Amino acid sequence: MNSNIHLVTVLIPVYNGEKYIGEAIESILSQTHRNYELLIIDDYSNDNSVQIIQSFSSEKIKLIQNDRNLGQSATLNKGLKLSTGVYIARL
């Protein structure tokens, strides 16, 4: 399988999610399955969400930041377009 294609994309849209985003990332990174990417789309948060995401140093994490608030549906659709997984798991 091409190294740029993953079996699973775990897609997390986040907007002002500083309270839970760290725990969500830790949960995904602790999984035993290894053929995945963790695609996090920040929907123009104005809290510490991005800083928390950036505090993780895993090659599995791909952070995309919207340049304005698009809303959950548009952010999810953006994530679907950017995902490389055969399967999508939304968190």
Side-chain angles (χ1 to χ4, degrees), residues 43-81:
D43 194 19
Y44 205 66
S45 293
N46 56 23
D47 66 356
N48 291 316
S49 296
V50 171
Q51 291 82 359
I52 293 168
I53 297 163
Q54 291 173 335
S55 73
F56 288 87
S57 60
S58 172
E59 70 284 349
K60 297 284 187 189
I61 298 172
K62 182 176 180 183
L63 171 62
I64 305 297
Q65 293 178 264
N66 291 344
D67 58 1
R68 62 184 174 89
N69 185 268
L70 300 177
Q72 187 175 42
S73 295
T75 298
L76 282 169
N77 287 334
K78 183 177 184 176
L80 290 173
K81 290 177 186 173

Side-chain angles (χ1 to χ4, degrees), residues 2-41:
N2 183 329
S3 63
N4 292 328
I5 297 175
H6 299 88
L7 183 60
V8 178
T9 295
V10 178
L11 177 56
I12 303 178
V14 63
Y15 175 72
N16 291 344
E18 70 181 3
K19 186 172 182 181
Y20 300 108
I21 192 64
E23 184 178 353
I25 293 170
E26 288 173 6
S27 174
I28 298 304
L29 294 178
S30 69
Q31 299 299 309
T32 57
H33 182 78
R34 303 312 308 160
N35 188 4
Y36 70 90
E37 68 175 341
L38 177 51
L39 180 56
I40 304 172
I41 313 258

